Amino acid sequence: MESNVDIVIVGAGISGLALALGLHRLGIKSLVLESSDSLRAAGIAFTAWTNAWRALDALGIGESLRQSHGQILGVRTTSIVTGKMTSYVSFTDKGAYGNHEVRCVKRKVLLEALAKELPSETIRYSSKVVAIQEFKSFSKIVHLSNGSLLQTKVLIGCDGVNSVVAKWLGFEKPSLTGRMAIRGCTYYNEGHNFEPIFELLVGNGYRYGVLPCDNSAVFWFITFYPSIQESELLEDADQSKLKQFVLSKLGKGSDEIRTIIEGSEVEEIVRSSIGCRTIWDVLFGNISKDNVCVAGDACHPMPPYLGQGGCTALEDALVLARCLRAAVFKTTLYSMSEDEFRDVTVVLKKFARLRRWRAFDITVTSHVVGFLQECNWVGTRVLRENLFSGWLARFYVKKADFDPRELALEN
């Protein structure tokens, strides 16, 4: 048996690293177990909305990331059926809790920024968790694929949609929605002239997004519900065919956006099926049990239609770090006292209570926004293009306007 720190975090993704850093800022040591042999940056980039920046500022890395990622000033929605703009929503207006801030962040840069602030021994790579076992005196035993065992007082699952910890808590594996996403990034050695605008193109059952990350990179994506024929076409398609498919569905999108997608190197293009937990799992599932809980995608994998997956993972990390601060460990041995176990159980239940409705709200809203933006029924399209376009786009900033007091590590 190998003794370890009081808190073990499974997964070195956004939520896992942010939680470890939040605890580190509070003077609490943790160990992060990562199954791969290095940081993984799947997904290329993600849109960091206002709530993400408030969390990153609380962690102390917001300013450094701002220097390399330009601010996005608004979202412009265009119909790919008519080619006409249907709405524009500014990101420069104030929300209920202050100014909005939106930037497209390279995922690898974010993970490296989080990891850089952690003590060198915090992340343990090539450490895949295969089983979790109850142990005497309330602690948990974590079994790794290499045969080693770790004993811990608190186990936090930040290990993504296929979370081992979530499975131990009783969650079902996230179900596929039938929808698909294709993402890519185009790089310009001498810089680009793309406006600092989130270009959203909607119609014919497809939803495109294009936005700059920095002076040299422009990120793009498409989400859609593939037909049977499209599923068969894309099942074994290589990246070159994926690019051609994306271009073929662009309709009356602008020549500039077509040129951006055409300029993507095929190795920068990725395809993924969209999966999420049912809203009932989010609402009634065991987010925590005794001294074990889940956060981020392990807790609430959600559709990408509001761009809130990574942002709410950062929220989770700050809220959970604050909750764990209230659980003071009184013994130096890795067997827990009854008082310690009770304290941890209480604070993890508090975390679950605080985050459940937030995750439920964003998941439901994301489903609604995605359905209305991708729906190809004629009546829905007419209403979307003439009445609902701006209303739908405002949900992006509305749901990101999270109270910064809930994210502050120090009261």
Side-chain angles (χ1 to χ4, degrees), residues 87-99:
S87 69
Y88 178 81
V89 174
S90 173
F91 295 160
T92 60
D93 299 331
K94 264 195 171 183
Y97 298 106
N99 294 328

Side-chain angles (χ1 to χ4, degrees), residues 110 116 152 218 257 297 367:
L110 171 59
K116 181 181 177 182
T152 184
V218 179
I257 291 175
D297 280 350
H367 276 296

Side-chain angles (χ1 to χ4, degrees), residues 91 132 139 178 196 215 245 322 395 409:
F91 295 160
I132 301 163
S139 59
N215 293 331
F245 175 84
R322 288 184 59 176
F395 279 111
L409 289 174

Side-chain angles (χ1 to χ4, degrees), residues 344-360:
V344 170
T345 300
V346 167
V347 299
L348 293 185
K349 283 183 178 179
K350 178 182 179 181
F351 167 75
R353 184 176 68 252
L354 289 171
R355 299 304 297 165
R356 190 183 301 278
W357 283 103
R358 170 70 169 165
F360 176 79

Side-chain angles (χ1 to χ4, degrees), residues 2 18 39 48 67 99 102 109 121 177 192 194 196 199 215-216 222 230 244-245 278 300 337 347 374 397:
E2 179 184 348
L39 289 177
Q67 294 174 14
N99 294 328
V102 185
V109 173
E121 69 277 8
T177 63
H192 62 77
F194 195 77
E199 294 283 3
N215 293 331
S216 63
I222 176 176
E230 288 173 337
Q244 293 307 311
F245 175 84
T278 67
H300 45 68
S337 69
V347 299
E374 290 183 0
V397 289

